[in-house]
Amino acid sequence: MTVEEVVEAAELFGQTEVGDCARDCAIFSPTWKVEVHRRRGREAASPPAVTAYVSRAGGLFCVAADAVKGPQVAFDGLSLVGRDLSELESDAIACAEAMDVHLRCTPEGYAGPDDPGVAMRGQPVGRVLRSRPLFMVTRDGANTEGDSMPSEEYGVNGQSTA
């Protein structure tokens, strides 16, 4: 999807705001960030419910659901949004054992579904890290989804997630 198509689709769910992302890696084409806020009126301190990242060369490659404002999303019955990361890890291990499948851990140690299109991040909410799933495809110039992760997702809302 192009940025125009992302904005058109996102406007069905709320107010959108489009901005440029920092270009931290020269191999990637410039990237837009499309933030979707649930309410029509802008709240100054309200984070977006969903953030979509669109490569100018390759199109939409990542959609992130906010841990507090984001829509509830499940993977094989496992709720992924806004969970305490230790609780999610415990449930992910139980789900993987019950279904006889693998689970994936991020370099930071967050456990989640072993699916090449899902990456789990931690988002600070008060004093707790809550789950912030990213739904991704490999973007232009990258080898994996991990390589494709937008630099903004390494620090959500200006805070470190590690």
Side-chain angles (χ1 to χ4, degrees), residues 68 122-130 156-157 159-161:
V68 177
Q123 178 180 327
V125 177
R127 299 175 61 107
V128 178
L129 280 178
R130 297 283 178 187
V156 178
N157 297 330
Q159 299 178 18
S160 172
T161 61

Side-chain angles (χ1 to χ4, degrees), residues 8-49:
E8 184 178 336
E11 284 179 339
L12 297 172
F13 301 101
Q15 180 178 346
T16 60
E17 187 175 312
V18 179
D20 289 319
C21 290
R23 190 163 182 189
D24 291 343
C25 187
I27 64 168
F28 298 136
S29 69
T31 302
W32 285 294
K33 176 170 57 173
V34 180
E35 296 179 331
V36 183
H37 298 264
R38 286 184 180 242
R39 293 188 177 85
R40 290 284 177 196
R42 203 185 265 186
E43 295 178 25
S46 176

